[in-house]
Amino acid sequence: MKSGRLKWAWITGVPLAWDATVTLTASWQKVFSSDPKVGFFKQRQVFQDAIDRGEVLPPAKTMDDMHTVVTNSTVDGVLSAVLALLIVVVIADATRVCVRHVRRPALSTLSEAPYVESKIIAPAGMIATKEEKEEERRAVTSASSGASAGAP
């Protein structure tokens, strides 16, 4: 958008809309379904009710397994709801920025940090060659001598 390519926004917008629709629909179903095979909180309720009655439901084999199912279902349900909310927040903020740019492009500025060449020494492959190891040693000694040169 900000780079002046509004006519191409659909290329990322259509897949985003599809992904968001599928993800949010699945999240809704996993959080709010009344089927304990689908919904996290319904599964939690069914297993908690069984614990209260002193029953052990399959696939659990012990009461500890029952408590584990209740805990895991609760954690899964809460995380699904939080992540779905975060998806909505990110998409809403991106929409706000895009609409603002379309309405008043003068307020939108692009800014990038200037290019800085990396000083990181790394081997070209999985195992460093003799030359690469020597270059790394030189870089480490020059960095440590430069740091100690500035010390009082």
Side-chain angles (χ1 to χ4, degrees), residues 107-120:
L107 295 178
S108 300
T109 58
L110 287 176
S111 61
E112 294 184 16
Y115 173 77
V116 176
E117 188 172 345
S118 175
K119 305 270 191 247
I120 297 173

Side-chain angles (χ1 to χ4, degrees), residues 25-82:
T25 300
S27 295
W28 181 269
Q29 290 174 348
K30 292 301 285 181
V31 171
F32 296 110
S33 177
S34 60
D35 182 357
K37 294 178 182 177
V38 176
F40 290 127
F41 293 121
K42 185 62 177 180
Q43 181 184 47
R44 181 209 177 283
Q45 179 186 355
V46 167
F47 277 78
Q48 184 62 53
D49 291 345
I51 289 171
D52 294 342
R53 292 188 309 268
E55 296 178 22
V56 176
L57 300 177
K61 295 182 179 19
T62 65
M63 271 299 168
D64 285 340
D65 291 345
M66 294 286 288
H67 287 286
T68 300
V69 170
V70 168
T71 301
N72 289 348
S73 296
T74 304
V75 169
D76 289 343
V78 168
L79 286 177
S80 291
V82 168

Side-chain angles (χ1 to χ4, degrees), residues 97-148:
V97 169
C98 290
V99 168
R100 178 179 164 202
H101 174 72
V102 169
R103 288 185 179 165
R104 295 190 275 174
L107 295 178
S108 300
T109 58
L110 287 176
S111 61
E112 294 184 16
Y115 173 77
V116 176
E117 188 172 345
S118 175
K119 305 270 191 247
I120 297 173
I121 306 295
M126 287 292 288
I127 300 172
T129 63
K130 182 179 170 184
E131 294 82 15
E132 289 171 334
K133 289 178 184 178
E134 183 57 38
E135 183 179 353
E136 186 175 0
R137 268 192 287 278
R138 283 195 308 268
V140 169
T141 53
S142 69
S144 63
S145 66
S148 63

Side-chain angles (χ1 to χ4, degrees), residues 8-23 91:
W8 300 108
W10 69 271
I11 293 173
T12 54
V14 169
L16 173 64
W18 173 254
D19 286 345
T21 302
V22 169
T23 302
I91 292 173

